[in-house]
Amino acid sequence: MIQDMKVSYSGVQPSGNLTIGNYLGAIRNFATFSEQYKCFYCVVDAHAITVRQTPADLRRRTYETLALYMACGLDPEKNTLYVQSHVPAHAELAWALNCFTMFGELSRMTQFKDKSAKHSDNINAGLFTYPVLMAADILLYQTDVVPVGIDQKQHVELCRDIATRFNSVFPDTFTIPEPIIPKTGMKIMSLADPTKKMSKSDENANSVVYILDDRDTIIRKFKRAVTDSDTCVRYAEGKDGINNLMNIYSTFTGKSHAEIEHEFEGRGYGDFKLAVGEVCADALRPVQETYAALMSDKAHLEAVMKKGAEEASYYARKTLSKVQKKLGFVQIR
Ligand code: TYM
C-alpha cells in the first residue's frame, strides 16, 4: 500500500524484440490497474545483463521497451514508468535479500535451469541470483499485485517466501505480493514448436510474432504455424498447435473455445490461421502507430525516464532505509 492505494508492479527485460507473448501475457494487462492502483512498471535492464548483451542493442531496446509500454496504453502521468538501473536501491536491496535467500531455493528455479542449459558457457552468479533482484524490484514498492505470465509465477512465489522470511525476523517490513496471471494469454507458445513457450530470445524468427511485425509478416507467420494432420478446429489434448492458436484468437477476441469451434465449423485450418493473423495484426496496428510516433521523440522518452526514476527512487529509498535500519546499518545524513 502506498498512500492508501494498492500497488501494482511489473517489469519486462529489454533483452530482445518484444513478442505477442509479452503483450498478451503481461503488458496489455498492466494498464487495467492504472485507475485503482499505484502502478510501477519497470524496464529491467539490470536483469538483461545476466545473459551477454550487445551494449548498443541493450541501449536501443531500453528506449523501445519504454515506448512500447506507452504505446500499449500506459500513461506516464498515471503510472511510474522507469528504467531499473536508474534506481540504485534495487541493487542495494537485492544484496540484503541475498542474505535471506537459500542456495537450495535458487537451485530449484526452472528459469535458471533452462537458461543455464542454453548458455552453458556463461552460467554466471547473476543468472543464479536473478530471482533475488526480481524480489527486490517487487518488495521495494510494497507491492500488492504483480501482473505476469505464468512463467514468472515461480519467481513471484520465491519473492513471497523471501519477504515472509524477512518479516518473520523483522516484522512489518514488506507487503506480501500476489501474482496476477491472466486466464487466457498466460502462456503463448512458439508457432514452430507449440510445446515450447514463445520467447523473445528464440533464434527462429518464424516461431515468434513480434509486437512490431508488419501485417504481412504476422499473417505469413500464422499461416506457417505448426498444427496437426486433423482438419477440424477444436481444442483437445495432443493438438498443441491448434490449442495455441485458439488461445491466441481467444485472448484477442474474448471468444471462448466453444464459440471459436462453432465459428470455424466445417472450415479448414487455412481459414482459421488467416483469421488469427488478421485479428492479431488489427489489434497491434494502433500500438505500432503510437510506438512509431513515440520513438521519433527520444527527448520525450528521456524526460519520462527521468521523471519515473525520481518518483520510483522516492518510494524505493523509503523501503530501503527501513530495511537498513532494521538490519542494524548505521544511518548518517
Ligand atoms: P520477461 O522479460 O521474460 O517477460 C515479460 C513478461 O512477459 C511474460 N511473457 C509471456 N506471457 C505469456 N506467454 C509468453 N510466451 C510469454 N513470454 C513472456 C512474462 O511472464 C513477463 O510477465 N523476470 C521477468 C522480468 C522482471 C519482473 C520483475 C516481472 C524483472 N523484475 C518484477 C515482474 C516483477 C522476466 O524475465 O520477464
Side-chain angles (χ1 to χ4, degrees):
M1 270 295 183
I2 286 182
Q3 292 155 358
D4 292 337
M5 275 182 112
K6 287 198 168 187
V7 175
S8 171
Y9 188 96
S10 201
V12 174
Q13 292 192 62
S15 54
N17 295 328
L18 300 192
T19 74
I20 57 164
N22 300 124
Y23 178 70
L24 297 174
I27 305 173
R28 188 178 86 140
N29 309 318
F30 292 174
T32 60
F33 295 89
S34 297
E35 297 299 333
Q36 268 138 27
Y37 287 68
K38 173 94 187 125
C39 295
F40 297 87
Y41 298 118
C42 184
V43 180
V44 293
D45 55 349
H47 276 95
I49 62 163
T50 53
V51 169
R52 206 65 75 221
Q53 302 289 330
T54 305
D57 290 347
L58 180 62
R59 202 168 291 124
R60 177 176 47 78
R61 286 186 179 131
T62 300
Y63 285 93
E64 289 173 357
T65 306
L66 178 71
L68 268 178
Y69 275 175
M70 292 162 70
C72 291
L74 294 176
D75 175 351
E77 295 303 320
K78 292 192 183 148
N79 303 268
T80 301
L81 308 179
Y82 72 104
V83 176
Q84 191 180 26
S85 63
H86 295 166
V87 182
H90 289 246
E92 294 176 77
L93 182 63
W95 177 253
L97 296 182
N98 265 310
C99 304
F100 287 78
T101 308
M102 300 302 132
F103 184 88
E105 289 176 313
L106 293 175
S107 312
R108 284 193 289 277
M109 294 293 111
T110 53
Q111 185 169 300
F112 171 69
K113 291 185 206 165
D114 293 348
K115 287 205 175 170
S116 43
K118 202 164 160 201
H119 305 278
S120 55
D121 55 338
N122 183 22
I123 308 176
N124 60 72
L127 197 60
F128 189 62
T129 59
Y130 176 112
V132 183
L133 180 58
M134 180 161 158
D137 300 342
I138 297 168
L139 298 178
L140 271 176
Y141 301 93
Q142 304 296 346
T143 298
D144 296 278
V145 298
V146 186
V148 281
I150 198 141
D151 62 317
Q152 294 301 317
K153 187 167 179 244
Q154 193 186 34
H155 287 162
V156 181
E157 279 165 358
L158 177 62
C159 168
R160 289 167 57 88
D161 292 344
I162 299 170
T164 305
R165 183 174 300 131
F166 196 97
N167 281 355
S168 71
V169 184
F170 302 110
D172 302 324
T173 308
F174 296 124
T175 303
I176 309 295
E178 290 281 344
I180 302 278
I181 295 165
K183 282 197 185 69
T184 60
M186 66 167 97
K187 191 170 189 189
I188 303 299
M189 310 306 277
S190 152
L191 298 187
D193 176 357
T195 60
K196 256 179 45 187
K197 186 189 81 163
M198 184 181 284
S199 162
K200 54 175 126 66
S201 57
D202 200 315
E203 272 139 35
N204 175 3
N206 282 325
S207 69
V208 180
V209 177
Y210 299 108
I211 301 178
L212 297 176
D213 274 344
D214 62 42
R215 185 178 188 85
D216 290 349
T217 307
I218 293 174
I219 290 175
R220 178 174 47 76
K221 286 181 176 177
F222 277 112
K223 274 190 182 159
R224 287 197 190 154
V226 167
T227 49
D228 53 58
S229 56
D230 190 10
T231 49
C232 176
V233 176
R234 64 191 169 92
Y235 199 91
E237 207 174 316
K239 288 171 68 74
D240 297 328
I242 286 294
N243 294 350
N244 185 38
L245 295 180
M246 285 179 75
N247 281 339
I248 294 172
Y249 193 71
S250 164
T251 313
F252 276 120
T253 60
K255 292 179 184 167
S256 68
H257 291 157
E259 285 168 330
I260 299 169
E261 285 170 4
H262 183 64
E263 184 178 350
F264 290 94
E265 213 173 305
R267 294 161 68 186
Y269 283 175
D271 270 10
F272 178 52
K273 287 176 168 183
L274 178 64
V276 183
E278 282 176 342
V279 294
C280 178
D282 288 348
L284 294 179
R285 196 183 52 228
V287 172
Q288 295 174 349
E289 286 168 2
T290 313
Y291 170 85
L294 287 162
M295 281 302 283
S296 67
D297 189 353
K298 285 262 168 68
H300 176 55
L301 292 175
E302 282 166 9
V304 170
M305 283 180 196
K306 192 159 183 291
K307 175 173 166 291
E310 280 163 9
E311 281 170 13
S313 295
Y314 171 78
Y315 295 106
R317 301 259 19 130
K318 269 194 175 178
T319 301
L320 183 68
S321 68
K322 180 172 164 189
V323 166
Q324 290 174 329
K325 230 184 262 170
K326 292 196 180 218
L327 288 170
F329 292 177
V330 173
Q331 316 264 298
I332 45 171
R333 281 189 214 291

